[in-house]
Amino acid sequence: MKAPFTLFILLFFSQMGFAQELSGIVLSNYQKPVAGATVAIHNLPDSSFVKFAVTNTNGEFSAIVPSHGDYLLIISSSGFEKKYEIVKTSQVAPSIILYGSSKTLDAVRVTSNKQPLIVRADRIVFNVDANPASAGSNVFETISRLPGIIVDNEENISAAGKNGVRVYIDGKKSPLTEKDLANYLKALQSSQIESIEIITQPGAKYEAEGNAAIISIKLKRNTSFGTNANVNAGLAYSKSLKSNAGLTINNRNKRTNLFGSFNYNYQKNEAYLDLYKTAQDSVFDQKGDVVFDVEAFSYGGGIDYFAGPKSTVRFEYTGSTQNFGNDKIVTTNIYKPGFVIDRKLVSDNSVDVNAINNSFAGGYKYSDTLGTEFTIDADYSTYKKRSSQFQPNKYYDATGENLLYSNDYYFYFPTDIKLITAKSDFEKNIKNAKISLGIYSSFANTDNDFFRYNVSGNLRILDSSRSNKFSYKENISAAYFSFSKTVEKFGITAGLRLENNISEGRSTGKQTINQFDTTFKFSNFNVFPSASISYSLNKNNRLTLSYFKRVDRPAYADLNPFEFKLDEYTFQKGNPDLKPQYTNSISLNNIYKGKLSTTISYSRTDDVFAFLADSSEKTKTVLIRRNLSRQDLVSFVITYPLHIKNYNAFIYANSYYSHFKGNLGLGRDFDIETYTVLFNIQQGYRLPQNINLQLSAWFNSPSIWQGGLKSKSMGSVDFGISKAIFKGNGTLKLAVTDIFKTIKYNSKSNFAGQDIVVKSGTPESRMVKADLSIRFGNKKLKAVNSTKSADEQKKRLQSSGIF
């Protein structure tokens, strides 16, 4: 361990220093490079001149600027209209498409010819459309392939060895549990997504939950002038055909933008789940085959009202309907001492789920060119799920031919969630400083019923002693303040978030007599500081030291003390004594020449959650989340974007050491550690005729899942190709995922006297996918309005004294 760690340290400090690079590509409306275009770079807000850059024969430009911040780019070339664009040093400037001057289209327009992956100071941005390999994939599959992300065999999402990941969709945190969230993301297609951001260092503006990362999903929304539409359709095939289709449309004029969307997705997949368990003097050898299908519809619409050049009012509705089916046949050989088969258990489970999501949102936004922004947002969301499961358990003798007896059950468990959120944020630039402040409040109400029936023939008899109702209410109120300032070579950011959490849960039985009633309440107030200080060592290197504190609160399903039967020998129950886990993290980052980023970090999570396979009744397994004492994690991360003419690549490497430790009672010490390497590479090549190739690969060495399972290595190689068609109004993508069929989940647990080995996966991980997208719209009207937008932007810059 000493030699690799020393190598990491030498590599890190050999690159120390600062550089901020602005780069981009200038193209004509025929997608041809514009060579010799002049890019004038000006400081903001005083508009003082910094330097010129000139595009090369490929239309590319780059320039090293002296400090971090906002800059004004003025792009000009003979025969084209000028463009005024404000950009940040923390982002890659978008490619610029120049249209002819007044003799042609009299317009200048910037379009988003984005890089597949962009690294910023606090996040990685994945631009879905720029990644051909994502064609035909659902959002859950796309997330599982992102740098630093690990998805385990139970579809829990973790990031770089930590289990506190929160998912935001269009700025709203999802209230769903892991399984429900995975199902929801599977129902969304990647073609619906604009970008996915992995935010590893959330500021005070974000809710304090999510110690590992925040995954922010931004849905597509067209704001172009005139009437515009985008139609997409996709197919995927492995053992069966999967399909998806969608439509987005908008109509915009000077005052309003009306928009709407509808999407459909159907997929059917096969999987396997094998388990080998040794408990006491018995052995259970389980083989399972699973077939699951998803049919989903998502829809929505809204209006933006432009009250003025600086003010926008928005009203929006989004919804979805999802139907899930799951048929699982499991055969378990049960061995008695001496490894002799005692009997066989055959279970033929079937699960049906219907889920409906509705969200109503409204907001107001004020924004000017001087950096002042004020927003008010409110949202009301409902989630309604109805699940049923039939679970027959038939026991045969050792030969598997003679039926001994049968235990058959039927379960029905409806869930209703209501969530109300409201927040307001304010930002303002003051000379070389920026202040941000805001308030936030949310109210969540969850009702869960669980009915268990004993089945005899066609008769269902309610088992009231094993049925219950669980209600959970939570209110979070918060306020935050942050400040950032640049002074010569130094940059300082400091934030403070105050959060008060009040929650109450109640679990009651359904018996008419001797009814149990378990109630718990929780209330606490916490302060979450965050801070960073950066220093420009020289023109090539910038060093940043960061710290933050965050929290992860238990999900409502993890608090319900009632026991849910997964099969005859496996149960899952909640833990009302589960406490929040708190994480303190510190990191040291260096960026070399604006590209090579190296980061060393340490985090400690107290009362860390662990999903444990505990024992019950000697041979039965109870899956439960408990608090361990802590998790210590040390990591070293390298990211590097590479651009050489028509070739681009993004390299991500993360090496970390993780140690979980806890004492759960006499003889139940918990001590597990691992050294893990995560590697991800995305490579692209631009060919003539608007063809783009992409080859991507990821690899995860052995790691710890959810604090309680040790996994083996796995990875994947994907390939994609895209081509612009219909004179740039359409895109055709083809992709092959998991070419070598290496996505296989293998894990083991050794706790509470039980040795468990789990193997799972899907023979359909290698899949051929195709996606077609066609854009329609009034291009002439877009060009006219684009000219007006450029003129108006210039006038606003002049009136503000910026230019």
Side-chain angles (χ1 to χ4, degrees):
M1 177 62 184
K2 289 183 178 180
F5 186 78
T6 303
L7 180 61
F8 288 161
I9 294 295
L10 289 174
L11 178 59
F12 178 85
F13 284 102
S14 69
Q15 306 295 335
M16 287 201 328
F18 166 71
Q20 294 293 334
E21 183 180 32
L22 295 178
S23 62
I25 303 174
V26 179
L27 304 172
S28 72
N29 57 311
Y30 295 103
Q31 296 294 312
K32 299 293 185 181
V34 179
T38 300
V39 182
I41 304 171
H42 294 258
N43 279 312
L44 288 177
D46 61 6
S47 74
S48 60
F49 176 73
V50 178
K51 62 171 61 177
F52 281 112
V54 179
T55 59
N56 60 21
T57 55
N58 295 316
E60 300 169 338
F61 70 90
S62 65
I64 303 299
V65 292
S67 62
H68 175 77
D70 295 342
Y71 288 87
L72 172 67
L73 301 186
I74 304 175
I75 304 97
S76 59
S77 182
S78 177
F80 297 94
E81 192 80 22
K82 284 185 179 179
K83 176 63 187 181
Y84 306 87
E85 182 76 8
I86 297 175
V87 299
K88 297 179 181 293
T89 53
S90 59
Q91 67 184 36
V92 175
S95 297
I96 299 167
I97 294 182
L98 299 182
Y99 281 71
S101 60
S102 57
K103 293 183 179 180
T104 53
L105 289 178
D106 190 29
V108 179
R109 183 174 64 174
V110 173
T111 63
S112 183
N113 186 15
K114 298 178 179 178
Q115 299 296 332
L117 279 161
I118 298 173
V119 179
R120 297 180 181 171
D122 60 343
R123 69 193 66 192
I124 295 175
V125 182
F126 179 82
N127 293 309
V128 177
D129 279 346
N131 285 269
S134 65
S137 297
N138 62 51
V139 175
F140 189 78
E141 292 170 333
T142 303
I143 289 175
S144 69
R145 290 171 165 81
L146 294 182
I149 298 299
I150 298 176
V151 176
D152 65 23
N153 60 331
E154 292 294 325
E155 299 182 329
N156 299 297
I157 302 173
S158 61
K162 293 187 285 188
N163 59 19
V165 173
R166 292 295 177 266
V167 174
Y168 284 61
I169 301 173
D170 274 350
K172 296 177 290 187
K173 184 180 71 173
S174 171
L176 304 180
T177 60
E178 289 92 343
K179 183 62 69 174
D180 290 337
L181 177 61
N183 287 336
Y184 177 77
L185 295 177
K186 288 177 184 177
L188 292 177
Q189 281 299 301
S190 63
S191 57
Q192 299 174 241
I193 306 303
E194 179 72 26
S195 66
I196 302 174
E197 299 183 355
I198 307 172
I199 307 173
T200 53
Q201 295 185 21
K205 184 176 182 178
Y206 290 91
E207 291 184 55
E209 279 200 282
N211 86 86
I214 288 174
I215 297 178
S216 178
I217 301 170
K218 294 184 178 180
L219 301 177
K220 287 181 178 176
R221 185 171 290 112
N222 199 330
T223 58
S224 299
F225 280 89
T227 300
N228 310 276
N230 186 90
V231 178
N232 68 275
L235 294 173
Y237 183 79
S238 181
K239 285 198 166 186
S240 60
L241 190 65
K242 296 95 167 116
S243 62
N244 67 85
L247 167 68
T248 61
I249 189 169
N250 85 296
N251 179 275
R252 179 175 176 177
N253 55 39
K254 290 182 179 180
R255 285 295 183 187
T256 61
N257 179 41
L258 295 169
F259 55 89
S261 65
F262 180 85
N263 292 275
Y264 171 78
N265 174 32
Y266 173 78
Q267 53 185 300
K268 182 179 181 181
N269 294 283
E270 297 181 13
Y272 64 90
L273 174 63
D274 299 339
L275 181 146
Y276 190 88
K277 179 175 73 172
T278 302
Q280 298 289 326
D281 56 357
S282 299
V283 173
F284 300 82
D285 187 5
Q286 182 181 102
K287 306 290 184 182
D289 294 308
V290 187
V291 177
F292 58 90
D293 58 88
V294 179
E295 185 178 44
F297 305 85
S298 62
Y299 32 83
I303 180 173
D304 293 322
Y305 174 70
F306 306 105
K310 302 177 182 179
S311 300
T312 304
V313 179
R314 170 183 289 260
F315 296 99
E316 183 177 6
Y317 163 77
T318 56
S320 66
T321 300
Q322 299 141 17
N323 298 299
F324 304 94
N326 184 324
D327 294 310
K328 179 168 62 175
I329 299 177
V330 181
T331 300
T332 305
N333 291 330
I334 303 173
Y335 295 86
K336 61 184 181 181
F339 204 69
V340 177
I341 292 183
D342 179 54
R343 59 194 186 279
K344 290 189 176 184
L345 167 62
V346 178
S347 301
D348 185 2
N349 295 329
S350 62
V351 178
D352 290 297
V353 180
N354 173 260
I356 299 175
N357 297 269
N358 291 291
S359 177
F360 304 87
Y364 168 79
K365 179 178 181 179
Y366 171 90
S367 179
D368 64 23
T369 57
L370 296 176
T372 300
E373 185 172 293
F374 173 67
T375 61
I376 300 175
D377 296 285
D379 182 89
Y380 173 71
S381 302
T382 62
Y383 176 76
K384 180 180 180 180
K385 184 180 74 169
R386 300 294 180 263
S387 304
S388 62
Q389 178 181 0
F390 178 54
Q391 187 186 104
N393 298 282
K394 301 187 181 302
Y395 289 87
Y396 294 85
D397 63 10
T399 66
E401 297 179 357
N402 301 309
L403 178 65
L404 302 177
Y405 58 92
S406 178
N407 296 329
D408 300 340
Y409 308 100
Y410 176 80
F411 308 97
Y412 178 65
F413 29 101
T415 298
D416 291 282
I417 302 175
K418 296 179 180 179
L419 178 65
I420 300 173
T421 62
K423 64 176 183 175
S424 181
D425 302 287
F426 175 78
E427 294 182 355
K428 186 173 181 61
N429 290 336
I430 303 176
K431 293 185 179 180
N432 290 326
K434 180 178 181 179
I435 61 169
S436 304
L437 54 91
I439 55 175
Y440 168 89
S441 186
S442 68
F443 299 87
N445 194 331
T446 303
D447 287 312
N448 301 267
D449 270 329
F450 179 74
F451 299 88
R452 170 171 161 171
Y453 297 85
N454 296 319
V455 179
S456 178
N458 295 323
L459 184 63
R460 297 176 182 172
I461 304 172
L462 178 66
D463 187 345
S464 59
S465 65
R466 296 182 179 273
S467 304
N468 88 316
K469 178 180 177 64
F470 180 65
S471 299
Y472 182 72
K473 298 178 180 179
E474 183 180 60
N475 167 231
I476 299 175
S477 300
Y480 76 89
F481 173 83
S482 66
F483 172 85
S484 60
K485 183 176 178 63
T486 301
V487 181
E488 295 182 350
K489 293 185 177 183
F490 286 92
I492 301 172
T493 300
L496 194 66
R497 187 177 182 91
L498 312 177
E499 284 197 357
N500 187 63
N501 171 249
I502 301 173
S503 57
E504 179 180 352
R506 184 182 184 188
S507 179
T508 56
K510 296 185 178 297
Q511 306 100 312
T512 55
I513 58 175
N514 297 325
Q515 178 173 314
F516 68 85
D517 188 334
T518 301
T519 301
F520 61 87
K521 296 181 179 181
F522 179 81
S523 177
N524 74 340
F525 174 82
N526 276 290
V527 178
F528 299 96
S530 59
S532 68
I533 181 169
S534 57
Y535 178 68
S536 302
L537 296 179
N538 51 53
K539 68 177 183 179
N540 290 330
N541 300 279
R542 186 174 182 85
L543 195 65
T544 302
L545 180 66
S546 303
Y547 163 81
F548 64 81
K549 176 184 177 182
R550 297 188 66 79
V551 66
D552 290 291
R553 302 180 181 95
Y556 67 86
D558 293 329
L559 296 169
N560 186 0
F562 208 74
E563 199 170 72
F564 300 90
K565 187 182 185 71
L566 301 180
D567 60 42
E568 284 284 77
Y569 290 91
T570 310
F571 301 83
Q572 184 169 344
K573 65 182 298 185
N575 177 9
D577 296 323
L578 194 64
K579 298 181 292 186
Q581 62 178 21
Y582 292 91
T583 299
N584 288 273
S585 179
I586 187 170
S587 65
L588 184 63
N589 168 263
N590 179 68
I591 299 179
Y592 176 68
K593 288 191 175 181
K595 292 185 177 180
L596 178 61
S597 173
T598 49
T599 305
I600 293 177
S601 64
Y602 167 75
S603 67
R604 172 167 174 161
T605 303
D606 293 307
D607 294 320
V608 63
F609 300 151
F611 194 52
L612 303 178
D614 212 337
S615 60
S616 176
E617 300 178 33
K618 295 184 178 181
T619 59
K620 294 185 177 180
T621 300
V622 177
L623 303 176
I624 187 171
R625 273 190 170 81
R626 298 188 185 277
N627 292 111
L628 302 181
S629 298
R630 69 177 188 269
Q631 178 196 12
D632 294 288
L633 189 143
V634 180
S635 69
F636 180 80
V637 181
I638 299 175
T639 62
Y640 183 69
L642 178 64
H643 303 280
I644 304 175
K645 293 185 178 181
N646 294 324
Y647 173 81
N648 69 81
F650 177 85
I651 301 169
Y652 172 95
N654 183 345
S655 175
Y656 69 83
Y657 165 76
S658 179
H659 184 198
F660 290 84
K661 190 172 180 62
N663 188 329
L664 301 175
L666 184 63
R668 292 163 61 88
D669 288 338
F670 192 92
D671 196 325
I672 184 172
E673 63 181 358
T674 185
Y675 298 89
T676 301
V677 174
L678 309 179
F679 181 77
N680 188 298
I681 183 170
Q682 310 266 351
Q683 300 179 85
Y685 193 81
R686 188 169 66 244
L687 298 174
Q689 305 298 320
N690 294 315
I691 296 175
N692 290 282
L693 305 178
Q694 184 184 47
L695 183 67
S696 61
W698 60 271
F699 170 79
N700 299 339
S701 73
S703 61
I704 300 174
W705 291 342
Q706 300 298 308
L709 291 171
K710 269 196 168 183
S711 73
K712 290 187 176 181
S713 301
M714 66 176 182
S716 174
V717 176
D718 306 326
F719 174 77
I721 180 173
S722 69
K723 175 175 172 54
I725 57 177
F726 303 138
K727 296 182 179 180
N729 293 313
T731 304
L732 177 65
K733 297 179 181 179
L734 299 173
V736 181
T737 59
D738 195 18
I739 296 173
F740 302 106
K741 301 190 75 170
T742 49
I743 299 181
K744 298 178 181 180
Y745 298 91
N746 294 280
S747 60
K748 62 180 180 180
S749 169
N750 185 354
F751 180 71
Q754 298 188 89
D755 289 322
I756 302 174
V757 177
V758 181
K759 297 180 180 180
S760 62
T762 171
E764 297 193 77
S765 61
R766 181 197 292 160
M767 197 174 296
V768 179
K769 302 178 179 182
D771 187 85
L772 174 65
S773 176
I774 303 175
R775 296 172 290 278
F776 302 92
N778 190 332
K779 298 179 181 62
K780 182 177 180 180
L781 185 59
K782 286 184 193 176
V784 171
N785 280 300
S786 178
T787 302
K788 291 181 179 179
S789 297
D791 290 342
E792 290 172 358
Q793 183 182 25
K794 180 179 178 181
K795 289 177 181 179
R796 288 197 297 269
L797 292 171
Q798 290 173 334
S799 64
S800 302
I802 292 179
F803 178 76

